[in-house]
Amino acid sequence: MKKLAGILTTTIAAAALFLGANTVANADTTITVGASAAPHAEILRHVQPKLKKEGINLKIKVFDDYIMPNKALANGEIDANYFQHIPFLKDWNKKNHGTLVDAGNIHLEPIGVYSKKYKSLKKLPKNAKVYVSSNVSDYGRVLKLFKDAGLITLKKGTKLETATFNDIKKNKRNITFKHTFEAKLMPKLYESNEADATVINSNYAVQAGLKPAKDAIALEKKSSPYANLIAVQKGDQKKPAIKKLVKVLKSKSTQKWINNKYNGAVLPVGNKK
């Protein structure tokens, strides 16, 4: 009887170990990605079912600014974030001695200039006042829009990724660029109609109900190098779950969905890194 009980106990224990190991093997990998509310979190929610089929349980943590997502990633509170472009990431790493890296570019949010007073950037008058956010990494994008409109020239050798308003060589209409505002406040400043024009990042423009392709008086082109990316801690870009996340986001079906969903406000970058 004791021998039989021993055999049963051993069999049950072995079965429990097998079931436990099998459960672990079949368990989904969970990753948490920090993101801006729109369009980043919306895009992530769209791919959640696809990732589930790949064995990835995607959790999304929404941030309403450009400050906390990188801090949360660096501190290990999240596994990745999706809200920024390469110049912003490089600037953050430099200022914070960070080692965050790019796991893959997903889309471009063309930065735009908006005005309730003028229908074209070229129509801005002398001594016009333009509001710009305090994101230094976006200054080159802003300067290019005004340069392309023929309103300013830049000093020889100026690199857009590191450009500031001090790099303006000739300000043909004596435009004042006031750049002390948080990026998320720009739509409210536009609505206040205080300035002659306001520069707004597309994610905040979309959240505020604006349609960049229709409402902006000047809009960045798809050829811009400021694509938004998945950022991770150094080394994590090689993790299978992160690779699957990037692959699904860069898939033709997801990129097509982005095109249809945002109608020019968000531009997919395809299979570029």
Side-chain angles (χ1 to χ4, degrees):
M1 188 72 178
K2 288 183 178 180
K3 186 175 181 180
L4 179 59
I7 292 172
L8 287 172
T9 300
T10 302
T11 302
I12 292 169
L17 284 171
F18 173 78
L19 289 172
N22 201 39
T23 299
V24 171
N26 292 329
D28 286 350
T29 299
T30 298
I31 58 172
T32 302
V33 180
S36 297
H40 308 79
E42 294 172 348
I43 296 171
L44 290 174
R45 280 191 284 271
H46 173 72
V47 301
Q48 273 180 319
K50 296 179 183 178
L51 286 169
K52 189 70 175 176
K53 291 179 182 178
E54 295 283 336
I56 307 298
N57 180 30
L58 173 63
K59 292 186 176 180
I60 304 164
K61 185 172 182 179
V62 176
F63 293 89
D64 66 356
D65 62 28
Y66 291 165
I67 300 169
M68 294 309 298
N70 277 341
K71 287 186 177 181
L73 180 57
N75 292 336
E77 298 169 23
I78 55 178
D79 300 293
N81 67 39
Y82 179 31
F83 79 101
Q84 65 193 318
H85 50 61
I86 275 288
F88 186 96
L89 179 62
K90 287 181 177 179
D91 185 62
W92 190 89
N93 277 335
K94 183 178 179 180
K95 290 178 178 177
N96 296 276
H97 307 289
T99 56
L100 305 182
V101 298
D102 169 17
N105 293 342
I106 310 302
H107 74 264
L108 172 71
E109 293 173 22
I111 202 165
V113 184
Y114 298 78
S115 176
K116 290 180 175 291
K117 301 175 182 178
Y118 305 98
K119 296 187 180 296
S120 166
L121 203 55
K122 293 181 179 181
K123 297 290 185 181
L124 288 184
K126 288 185 177 180
N127 303 313
K129 181 167 62 174
V130 176
Y131 283 172
V132 182
S133 84
S134 58
N135 283 331
V136 177
S137 60
D138 280 338
Y139 291 173
R141 307 170 77 182
V142 177
L143 290 169
K144 188 175 188 309
L145 288 174
F146 282 80
K147 176 179 175 290
D148 290 348
L151 301 180
I152 63 170
T153 61
L154 299 176
K155 295 175 183 176
K156 188 176 180 179
T158 297
K159 294 181 180 180
L160 291 179
E161 283 194 8
T162 56
T164 70
F165 294 99
N166 292 327
D167 290 307
I168 295 175
K169 179 180 180 181
K170 188 175 182 181
N171 190 338
K172 298 179 181 180
R173 297 188 189 172
N174 195 34
I175 296 170
T176 298
F177 295 94
K178 188 174 181 181
H179 44 89
T180 57
F181 313 100
E182 279 192 65
K184 65 181 180 181
L185 298 178
M186 303 314 291
K188 289 184 178 179
L189 290 169
Y190 164 68
E191 289 298 334
S192 74
N193 206 23
E194 294 177 10
D196 294 293
T198 304
V199 182
I200 310 176
N201 292 85
S202 276
N203 62 313
Y204 289 124
V206 170
Q207 289 178 44
L210 292 168
K211 297 179 180 179
K214 177 183 176 182
D215 298 328
I217 62 171
L219 194 64
E220 193 174 21
K221 296 179 181 178
K222 188 176 181 178
S223 57
S224 166
Y226 290 83
N228 279 216
L229 55 90
I230 296 293
V232 295
Q233 291 194 35
K234 189 175 182 180
D236 285 357
Q237 70 270 33
K238 298 177 182 179
K239 287 185 175 180
I242 298 299
K243 284 186 173 182
K244 286 180 180 179
L245 170 66
V246 173
K247 184 178 180 180
V248 168
L249 287 169
K250 293 170 79 71
S251 69
K252 287 184 178 179
S253 61
T254 301
Q255 299 277 290
K256 183 179 179 181
W257 180 87
I258 290 173
N259 261 329
N260 294 336
K261 169 75 173 176
Y262 298 104
N263 194 29
V266 181
L267 303 173
V269 296
N271 289 318
K272 295 178 182 179
K273 174 155 183 327

